[in-house]
Amino acid sequence: MTRVDCDVHPTVPSLQALLPYMDEVWRDNAVRRGIEELATVSYPTTNPLSSRADWRDPSGKAGTTVEALRAQALDPFGTDLAICSPLYGVQALFSEDMSAAFARALNTWTAREFLDRDPRLRASIVVPQINAERAVDEIEHWAGDHRFVQVLLLVGSELPLGRRQTWPIYAAAERHGLPVGIHAGSMHRSGMTPVGWTSSYTEDYVAQATAFQSQLGSLLAEGVFAKFPDLTVVLMESGVSWLPAYLWRFSKFWKGTRAEIPWVSDPPSSIVRDRVRLTLQPFDAPPDSASVTRLMEHLGSEEMLLFSTDYPHWQFDGQAAWPEGFSPALKQKIMADNPLKTYARLRETVS
Amino acid sequence: MNVDVLNRSGIQPVAASRLAISDCDIHPRASMKALLPWIPKAWQEHLASFGMLHRQPWEKGPAYPKAQPQASRRDAWPPSGGGPGSDLGFMAAQHLDPNNVTLGILNPLGVGQGAANPDLSAVVTYAANEWQIEEWLSKDDRLRGSVVVPYEDAVASAREIERYAGDKRFAQVLLLSRTAAPLGQRQYWPIYEAAEAAGLPIGIHAFGYGGTPISAGGWPSFYIEEMVGHAQAQQAVTASFILEGVFERFPKLKVVMIEGGLAWAPSLGWRMDAQWRKLKQELPHLKRLPSEVLKQHVWFTTQPIEEPEPRSQLAEVFDWMGWDRVLFATDYPHWDFDDPAYALPMKMTEEQRRMVFRDNARAVFGVS
């Protein structure tokens, strides 16, 4: 069995680490203007959730080197392939040019510091999602390197992700056989709720699940899945268990208001079961097998979940990456079969 | 959902034949003209010149055009000539009598809540409270009103609640979910203090005019996204109440979430619990598992009820939530009305049926 971890996060130690991968203009910009750190409030460095305590290095960060990733994220879980999605606030920059330049530097850092150094590693292409044209440039730049296996967007966007301004990103992703991963985190243009900014980190993180709901609704309503029939969307670090209730509600209103969105001709729940995948951690469920069994019935599919540790975020202790209630056969699907079906490029290196 | 006008003259509504019903979401319609008798002359002149502005684009009508005119059932226009929900006699004949509604909670919408001008908001909401007494509550004792308050001014809202404290014709204080900030935040606490003192639950109905994008990813394009999105707003509001510690500060406070769905509640509880276990140092005021607070202080109205296939999965959700949390509602006269005879087609025990359709509401609102 090929064990695939679909969500691990190498951590940028500081902006200093990206400087060697910037061209001179942007390196000069960063130094002259005193830009030292782009870690965001979505995962504040010292916050307990941002990194498990036993994984932190003396600097207080975790996963800043390939050695740390190997020792903490790969070897203990017997991982054969892991998809790296660095979360470093280049998407939150307000300048399109700086966002594009820093995204390029970040992807280059990922390739040089991680992909080149361990054959088990794969990565997501970070794009300046403020501008679809520049985002497509970034996808085109890396698409020939098949160690990059998906395009990464943040769930907290400037415009709803189904909006047509974003479609060039989906066209490029589909063209290159890259799923689009939508990950927790934000461009921070507004608060993480439909009613504004929260006053605690806990509340912000809890609200991320509602942001995934809104974005899934946007992708459905705008017709992204009809326009791009070969595109797969992966919801990453979403919490998972909100999905059944969301689809029940969306489907009910679709029956009543579908004249507004005539391009959505298939039942939304069947579209989502065919085209949307979700990484496993965090899995917001009670710790009893019976409830998890019920939840899986409500989800109505064993094809949708993709194993993840969400390293180094603190979602579980020790090696307990599997919530209660998953049978060995289902684990095999979630850890091997589903990821290999989802990510075409992973199949290229697995016999 | 009743999009078309069905002829159901030969159909015996099953639930109604057996059971008296509590309907926790009925919308009486107040035109501004109907409210004028309680609006001082200077404010009438203000309205005549400047109107009532909200944090949204249109001079009249909602931000997202509805699926139906006035979001209403096509058969809900009374012969007397007013809009849907404007005529008590017609409402009784069309809904209260045939559906055997013995307790109906009135939630007037579009009556000054969330208006940009806080003084105007206070004036119009007061008028709407007096109008409820005059036109509805004094005429039909099946009905209970909602104290509508100018919620962006919490101090003025508390005064409004105190005005009607002890008046048993009012069942709750009404807020809308999309406020300028999450409703658990401190600036709204005078409302909760007054409601707790008056023994009134806080009802939070979908919609509102907070002015911020109505999703964490900006303004969506379509009405369906807005409608489905009320569930996200209400999740955020529920989390805000619990995580801000509103129920630690006001331990007798009850909150009723209206028209935002309910099947999301178990997942939200599990998610809050998981984060609280790791991050509780950030929230020292919160002493218990968030899901326990949720089960003790928050109720949910059913309409528009989620429709899983098979429907029995909804009963499993109620098992997770607790059947005592569920309050039946129709949303009369709106287009997505849930008919009590058809809305919950799943197996229930007689006790569960009585709880959902009648008794839970009587317990929450203290109606014997």
Side-chain angles (χ1 to χ4, degrees):
Chain A
M1 178 171 78
T2 304
R3 295 163 179 268
V4 185
D5 185 342
C6 296
D7 192 27
V8 303
H9 303 293
T11 302
V12 177
S14 76
L15 194 68
Q16 185 81 25
L18 300 190
L19 295 182
Y21 304 114
M22 286 179 194
D23 68 29
E24 200 180 332
V25 171
W26 288 106
R27 189 160 55 236
D28 182 55
N29 238 281
V31 173
R32 189 164 39 80
R33 298 171 68 178
I35 310 169
E36 293 174 353
E37 185 56 279
L38 289 178
T40 75
V41 295
S42 294
Y43 299 95
T45 303
T46 56
N47 186 286
L49 187 136
S50 300
S51 179
R52 235 170 77 172
D54 58 327
W55 285 336
R56 289 180 190 270
D57 64 23
S59 82
K61 292 192 174 187
T64 57
T65 63
V66 74
E67 290 78 15
L69 209 67
R70 267 187 210 129
Q72 295 173 338
L74 302 182
D75 296 344
F77 299 93
T79 299
D80 297 303
L81 291 169
I83 302 172
C84 298
S85 293
L87 301 171
Y88 196 60
V90 300
Q91 299 98 327
L93 291 163
F94 291 97
S95 154
E96 297 180 9
D97 302 323
M98 186 182 286
S99 184
F102 284 24
R104 174 66 53 86
L106 178 56
N107 290 321
T108 311
W109 174 82
T110 303
R112 297 291 87 79
E113 303 291 335
F114 289 85
L115 303 185
D116 287 354
R117 297 179 185 209
D118 195 303
R120 290 170 289 184
L121 295 178
R122 301 292 182 273
S124 302
I125 303 171
V126 172
V127 298
Q129 74 187 74
I130 189 173
N131 179 312
E133 214 175 303
R134 307 298 297 272
V136 170
D137 289 346
E138 198 59 23
I139 294 168
E140 295 295 342
H141 183 83
W142 296 103
D145 182 343
H146 281 219
R147 297 173 304 175
F148 284 94
V149 300
Q150 75 179 341
V151 174
L152 190 71
L153 299 174
L154 298 182
V155 74
S157 53
E158 194 163 72
L159 294 172
L161 289 174
R163 288 282 299 276
R164 292 165 203 174
Q165 288 96 320
T166 314
W167 286 15
I169 296 177
Y170 304 133
E174 186 186 51
R175 191 162 61 239
H176 293 292
L178 296 162
V180 168
I182 300 173
H183 198 282
S186 182
M187 295 169 73
H188 300 288
R189 300 305 196 252
S190 63
M192 193 39 75
T193 83
V195 289
W197 291 82
T198 63
S199 47
S200 70
Y201 178 79
T202 307
E203 191 185 347
D204 177 277
Y205 193 81
V206 166
Q208 302 260 355
T210 65
F212 279 98
Q213 293 164 45
S214 303
Q215 297 291 18
L216 182 56
S218 175
L219 295 171
L220 283 167
E222 302 273 0
V224 169
F225 296 108
K227 179 73 179 175
F228 304 102
D230 295 323
L231 183 72
T232 301
V233 169
V234 182
L235 307 180
M236 305 172 71
E237 202 179 327
S238 74
V240 181
S241 62
W242 52 267
L243 183 60
Y246 181 79
L247 288 176
W248 299 338
R249 183 174 171 89
F250 192 99
S251 298
K252 175 162 179 162
F253 279 106
W254 175 70
K255 288 175 193 161
T257 68
R258 56 184 289 191
E260 186 189 26
I261 48 171
W263 42 83
V264 185
S265 52
D266 294 325
S269 55
S270 83
I271 296 174
V272 169
R273 282 180 194 128
D274 284 349
R275 309 288 296 283
V276 175
R277 299 292 175 260
L278 303 97
T279 61
L280 183 67
Q281 284 289 352
F283 188 73
D284 295 327
D288 68 280
S289 305
S291 290
V292 171
T293 301
R294 274 188 178 182
L295 259 178
M296 291 304 295
E297 287 167 7
H298 293 190
L299 205 56
S301 167
E302 295 189 343
E303 320 299 316
M304 295 177 72
L305 296 184
L306 309 176
F307 178 77
S308 68
T309 58
D310 192 24
Y311 171 89
H313 299 163
W314 182 21
Q315 306 295 4
F316 55 86
D317 291 312
Q319 310 301 114
W322 285 99
E324 294 291 316
F326 289 90
S327 70
L330 185 54
K331 285 183 180 177
Q332 154 88 28
K333 278 191 171 179
I334 292 172
M335 187 169 237
D337 304 348
N338 296 348
L340 292 175
K341 277 184 203 156
T342 302
Y343 295 103
R345 292 178 171 208
L346 293 188
R347 294 198 294 275
E348 294 169 6
T349 51
V350 175
S351 52
Chain B
M1 296 183 184
N2 293 353
V3 176
D4 292 312
V5 181
L6 299 178
N7 178 359
R8 289 185 171 145
S9 55
I11 302 173
Q12 171 72 11
V14 178
S17 68
R18 289 186 189 155
L19 189 64
I21 282 172
S22 302
D23 181 352
C24 295
D25 190 24
I26 296 175
H27 297 294
R29 180 184 171 77
S31 64
M32 191 54 78
K33 192 176 165 206
L35 299 181
L36 287 181
W38 298 279
I39 295 178
K41 190 156 181 300
W43 281 107
Q44 292 189 27
E45 288 166 0
H46 175 101
L47 282 165
S49 296
F50 301 102
M52 186 160 64
L53 311 179
H54 294 90
R55 295 170 181 173
Q56 65 169 41
W58 317 123
E59 185 179 353
K60 281 183 181 166
Y64 291 83
K66 305 284 187 186
Q68 307 278 323
Q70 298 191 28
S72 288
R73 286 167 47 160
R74 290 190 211 161
D75 62 350
W77 270 258
S80 55
S86 65
D87 182 320
L88 172 59
F90 186 71
M91 179 190 286
Q94 187 173 48
H95 174 43
L96 303 179
D97 300 341
N99 287 323
N100 200 14
V101 176
T102 56
L103 171 63
I105 307 297
L106 300 181
N107 292 316
L109 301 177
V111 289
Q113 294 194 292
N117 180 324
D119 294 326
L120 181 62
S121 182
V123 163
V124 177
T125 50
Y126 163 73
N129 292 327
E130 292 295 312
W131 169 82
Q132 286 180 77
I133 293 173
E134 177 87 6
E135 299 293 340
W136 300 86
L137 307 179
S138 64
K139 293 179 178 173
D140 192 322
D141 60 13
R142 291 173 291 188
L143 300 177
R144 295 288 185 282
S146 292
V147 180
V148 291
V149 296
Y151 48 68
E152 299 299 355
D153 181 344
V155 173
S157 297
R159 278 200 301 272
E160 195 65 15
I161 294 165
E162 284 156 13
R163 192 198 309 275
Y164 299 103
D167 185 337
K168 293 294 181 193
R169 294 173 295 186
F170 286 98
Q172 67 180 352
V173 173
L174 186 67
L175 311 178
L176 301 180
S177 54
R178 293 196 311 227
T179 43
L183 271 170
Q185 292 187 7
R186 305 287 165 85
Q187 59 269 37
Y188 299 107
W189 285 19
I191 299 174
Y192 312 137
E193 184 175 17
E196 186 189 48
L200 291 169
I202 298 282
I204 301 174
H205 193 282
F207 294 95
Y209 316 89
T212 64
I214 61 171
S215 92
W219 294 94
S221 305
F222 301 108
Y223 177 60
I224 186 174
E225 295 178 84
E226 186 198 27
M227 291 301 282
V228 176
H230 288 307
Q232 286 91 71
Q234 295 217 350
Q235 286 167 69
V237 171
T238 304
S240 174
F241 266 91
I242 292 171
L243 300 177
E244 294 275 0
V246 174
F247 299 116
E248 322 303 312
R249 177 68 183 76
F250 306 107
K252 291 179 189 157
L253 192 68
K254 302 173 182 176
V255 168
V256 179
M257 305 303 291
I258 306 166
E259 207 180 331
L262 48 72
W264 45 262
S267 174
L268 178 67
W270 301 327
R271 185 169 178 84
M272 288 191 293
D273 286 357
Q275 299 321 315
W276 182 72
R277 288 194 180 97
K278 287 174 275 192
L279 303 173
K280 57 187 164 188
Q281 187 190 358
E282 186 188 25
L283 307 169
H285 48 270
L286 192 54
K287 306 292 186 200
R288 294 174 294 163
L289 275 176
S291 63
E292 287 176 22
V293 181
L294 179 67
K295 280 191 176 176
Q296 188 181 342
H297 290 277
V298 186
W299 284 258
F300 301 88
T301 66
T302 53
Q303 184 281 337
I305 192 67
E306 287 93 342
E307 296 179 355
E309 298 289 349
R311 295 295 163 82
S312 58
Q313 292 177 345
L314 195 60
E316 295 173 359
V317 171
F318 289 3
D319 288 342
W320 277 325
M321 299 169 66
W323 286 75
D324 63 323
R325 301 289 103 183
V326 182
L327 309 174
F328 181 74
T330 67
D331 196 30
Y332 180 89
H334 290 155
W335 71 275
D336 45 349
F337 174 82
D338 274 351
D339 188 318
Y342 307 97
L344 293 169
M346 59 195 204
K347 279 187 186 158
M348 284 185 256
T349 65
E350 271 316 296
E351 188 196 359
Q352 288 168 337
R353 184 174 294 279
R354 276 195 297 273
M355 290 170 76
V356 169
F357 280 94
R358 187 187 66 193
D359 294 346
N360 289 342
R362 291 184 171 268
V364 172
F365 297 116
V367 176
S368 53

